[in-house]
Amino acid sequence: SAQNTTYRFFLLAFIFFVILVLFLLIINNDIKKRNETAAQLRMQASLLDTIPDTIFTTDKNFILKTWNKYAAEMYGFSAAEAIGKPIQSLFDIQISDEETASSFTALQEKGSYKDEYTVIKKNGEIIFVLASVNTIINDGEITGYVSVHRDITQRKELEKELKVFNTELEQQVKI
């Protein structure tokens, strides 16, 4: 008896200790995974501010969810001003209704769309933008969009100057 009871007590204590150690190992592993995931998310978020292009995301209704620092510089709206607003309320893309419908259809069918646009910024300045838009898909369903905009105004101006120069050169060659 007493020896049997002592044996059972130590056996239960040992089993409890083993279960406790296993439980702590599982918790520690979970904490490590969470920390690794958090570090990866921080790294990915910092990438958005290291790429020198305007990058922003929207939900499926084109309401802004993220807005990097280059978006703020290019369009003149801080992240606090932009996030939560419909994208079309921040800048005016000079595009016809037909072109809008065509680009939206391509985006839905192909998952991406790329084109050049004339955009009127917050301060009224007109710029040329190369826009690339891709769908964000979760569980097979479009949940939003990620857009990368690059200011190509200088390139467009140089192309225009080159065209004028070529026209002048052709005129001179004809003489």
Side-chain angles (χ1 to χ4, degrees), residues 5-23:
T5 304
T6 304
Y7 174 74
R8 286 183 183 165
F9 175 75
F10 280 116
L11 184 60
L12 284 173
F14 179 74
I15 291 171
F16 176 75
F17 181 74
V18 169
I19 290 172
L20 181 63
V21 168
L22 288 173
F23 184 68

Side-chain angles (χ1 to χ4, degrees), residues 53-58 62-68 70-79 81-83 85-95 100 115-133 145-151:
D53 285 324
T54 294
I55 301 173
F56 56 88
T57 60
T58 67
F62 297 97
I63 305 298
L64 277 161
K65 295 298 179 191
T66 63
W67 185 255
N68 77 345
Y70 294 101
E73 290 175 14
M74 187 159 133
Y75 291 115
F77 292 95
S78 70
E81 291 174 296
I83 293 173
K85 300 237 175 43
I87 192 69
Q88 63 272 20
S89 71
L90 296 179
F91 44 84
D92 186 11
I93 298 175
Q94 303 295 294
I95 183 173
T100 300
D115 206 350
E116 296 178 3
Y117 301 104
T118 304
V119 177
I120 301 174
K121 297 175 15 171
K122 179 181 180 181
N123 65 5
E125 179 185 356
I126 297 172
I127 61 171
F128 293 95
V129 172
L130 173 62
S132 176
V133 184
Y145 305 93
V146 60
S147 298
V148 178
H149 287 191
R150 178 172 287 163
D151 185 344

Side-chain angles (χ1 to χ4, degrees), residues 25-38:
L25 287 173
I26 290 169
I27 289 174
N28 186 43
N29 191 33
D30 187 51
I31 290 171
K32 281 183 183 178
K33 285 182 182 177
R34 286 182 186 201
N35 287 341
E36 289 170 1
T37 301

